[in-house]
Amino acid sequence: MFKQRKIKNSKNHSEFLKTLLHSLPKEEVIYEPEELSVYECDGLTAFRVLPLAVVIPQKIEEILVILSACKRFGVPIVVRGGGTGLSGGATPVEGGIVLSLSKFNQILEIDPINQVARVEPGVTNMQVSQSAAPYGLYFAPDPSSQIACTIGGNIAENAGGIHCLKYGLTVNNVLAIKMLTVEGEIVSIGNVGGESPGCDLLSLIVGSEGMLGIVIEATLRLLPKPECAKLVVGCFDDVTEASKTVSQIIASGIVPAGLEIMDKLVIEAVQSYIQVGFPTSAAAVLLCELDGMFEEVEEECRLVEQIMIQMGAKEIIRSKNEEERLLLWKARKSAFPAAGRISPDYYCMDGTIPRKSLAFVLKRIAELAAQYNLRVGNVFHAGDGNIHPLILYDNSIVGEMERVESLGEKILELCVEVGGSITGEHGVGLEKLGPMCLQFSLEEIQQFHRIKRALDPDALLNPGKAIPTLHRCAEFGKMHVHQGQIAFAGIERF
Amino acid sequence: MFKQRKIKNSKNHSEFLKTLLHSLPKEEVIYEPEELSVYECDGLTAFRVLPLAVVIPQKIEEILVILSACKRFGVPIVVRGGGTGLSGGATPVEGGIVLSLSKFNQILEIDPINQVARVEPGVTNMQVSQSAAPYGLYFAPDPSSQIACTIGGNIAENAGGIHCLKYGLTVNNVLAIKMLTVEGEIVSIGNVGGESPGCDLLSLIVGSEGMLGIVIEATLRLLPKPECAKLVVGCFDDVTEASKTVSQIIASGIVPAGLEIMDKLVIEAVQSYIQVGFPTSAAAVLLCELDGMFEEVEEECRLVEQIMIQMGAKEIIRSKNEEERLLLWKARKSAFPAAGRISPDYYCMDGTIPRKSLAFVLKRIAELAAQYNLRVGNVFHAGDGNIHPLILYDNSIVGEMERVESLGEKILELCVEVGGSITGEHGVGLEKLGPMCLQFSLEEIQQFHRIKRALDPDALLNPGKAIPTLHRCAEFGKMHVHQGQIAFAGIERF
């Protein structure tokens, strides 16, 4: 699947391990196979690689020692946070080590006046908001794994969540980081004041999937908790109507805190799991959360309901209190476990499309699903066009997995065709190396390699992830879908 | 001031010019000294360099021809938009050409459903909003040069404006670009859907001051015009009170569309220029613009006024209608010409600081101004801590310019000391090469050089701008102010 590292022989391996054991406390180095197996995959469980060793340092100085040993022996490094990633960003690399930052788990400062938190990378996403809560503040990105996923991982994958329509992805909520380069330099990037001169290294590092440096500290933007939040749910007979309503709401100038669609298959799965009172006849529900000051939210709810009715909503549910609002969101957040109850296996996809293409893309997905004879549910961040088709299947049926993969590829191709992208918030990791060749031309992939080489010339940091080799893309096929056009790319292109 | 390029001899110059004249229409190449002089500086008029030639191509293919000739002869290229930049980003480089993109001035598409505009780089900032106006949309970044500055220049310098507190800088409002690499590859970066996989090249290019590639097309985010906007002006006896009010307003959860402070010196200058009714006794005015839906704006105005009064405002002015609102803004925007009337010369500085340091920094600036016996006015984007101290002076007095420069350096040092940065929205260009050494360690500067070399290995694109040489920083002085700490950096650091 990915570029294998050459580590000359097992003698080198044992020399390397000796060096680590010599320079680090014994309990910080794991190398027994049975203990290593815990680290053989992240949330992308289909890919498993046993690392050479796992190191769990407690101090920056120890990371420097590890970097130096890795450099000397040419051993690749995969940094790991909570291990909840869905695209294989933290899957070990053959012959490489896993560097766990779980001991870097301190909240260093909550500054309520500047509304920032300074934290170590091993702190969980949820801990940040919990620590900020006494000041009426919170950290906006809220991936569904927020109890377990770490800030380091959020930064590596540029994590999103339900509320990123209004409050942005991780990249919009990180003000500064401290990072170790592969050379062992400590560099500070970004600025609490917001703007930092020079190239925007901060945005470059956020989302770079551990390929460009090791983040050892982050300064996060905290937001004041809104005075009030209400959820308006529109129930539609037709998913197309719900999709079109999304554009209408945005066009009205309202920026909802969340704007999510669930289709019939998902509604039914959820209803049989938690009873929240969505009408069983609904083909789609549109969940629209509005937050801010009381008057503002009241007025926006009224407007959103009006738009929903104009666009064909048959029924509207508005949360009467906080309890009701949380129950409705619980229904949304239960979509994946609910899907697990109606199908032996499911594959959660991730792509983005321009909002105006929502209706078209959902229709095409339904057609493709019929062609492949697979059930596909849809539950997604409609407001920012981040779709999550959920392909239901049974892994015990021979050949079914291959059909799922093939359908998945078609769906991503469709995203690219309409001008969208092959991942919204889950990252590329190992999973999407192939689709990267759909998204980008060789010239574009080349730019990524140039940046990677500039900051990690020996390819020690998470090698083989996120950026496909040019060779891989050349192999990927002669039909090259790029920026909304399908072009036949002759051999000269490669 | 900056690294001079070696172009072997004038024979090479003339060969290069011949190549250009041979491959481009005659009217697209300017090389007569008297015609070239128009291009010898941008808004940073203190730096002037006569370029070897100016080329004004009309087609992408012509740019490719120019790039190829420059590569062959080792001639550096400075891309120029409106030439309104204040930090010398478009100042020519000795022995180099200026590549004007003024003929790339088409609005290619306004897409009201996806709320985006696709434009060529030579389109002015104002034209975008004008073209979007019939759809009730506008482009948020609004630098004060917006009538003349171009989208290409806005991207190069990551331009801001009064409204970037709420709506972000250029980087937050550009969704995608098409760019020529120095190798002549055409690459598409970013995505209309928002999220794009791989490293965030888009944020890297925005603000990179023409050093990494040539932007030939941009897809911009358009926003719906708010239903209503009101301006609340609080008049304070003390600039410290006004500064503290800024943090209080933000802490309340309100995000004003603009939040600006003008101090006594500026108020007096403005009042003698346009009569808008600020009380002459006021030591500072705080202008707070609120936009959104009627009810929301009404409620927010009430809250902001309440906070202002609690914090000591002696008088409050609220715009009664659109005419009054625009008149009040006119007063703010007239600050620079007004300063021009009370002083023969002025130097407009640009830095950012964390909001909580506003009161401290303004006090220190006043103390420094007294020490240097120079008048300093303050008129700035208080909400995002982007200060613009205005040093008044008289260039005809021998030695005064040197004192101004020295005071300016002290002010930037102060910004870095409190954890801020040496530029907010004007960029580094040639002007801030020295201060970059205050802001960043050598290890950090080294990362910028790595990125620059990765995308422009022969240093042909705007060489010597934005990133100081390591040598320059070593020369800059032994006292190294970095990230809020003053540390004595011994020679071993360099």
Side-chain angles (χ1 to χ4, degrees), chain B residues 246-262:
Chain B
V246 169
S247 289
Q248 285 301 316
I249 292 173
I250 300 289
S252 77
I254 294 170
V255 184
L259 192 52
E260 307 270 317
I261 285 182
M262 291 161 64

Side-chain angles (χ1 to χ4, degrees), chain A residues 85-106:
Chain A
L86 292 171
S87 60
T91 309
V93 169
E94 193 97 24
I97 61 161
V98 167
L99 171 61
S100 165
L101 293 182
S102 56
K103 294 282 170 67
F104 288 81
N105 58 0
Q106 296 302 303

Side-chain angles (χ1 to χ4, degrees), chain A residues 111 188 191 195 356 420 424 444, chain B residues 111 188 191 195 356 420 424 444:
Chain A
D111 173 348
S188 294
N191 194 278
E195 180 64 354
K356 75 168 167 189
E444 288 155 4
Chain B
D111 172 350
S188 293
N191 194 278
E195 180 63 354
K356 75 169 168 190
E444 289 155 5

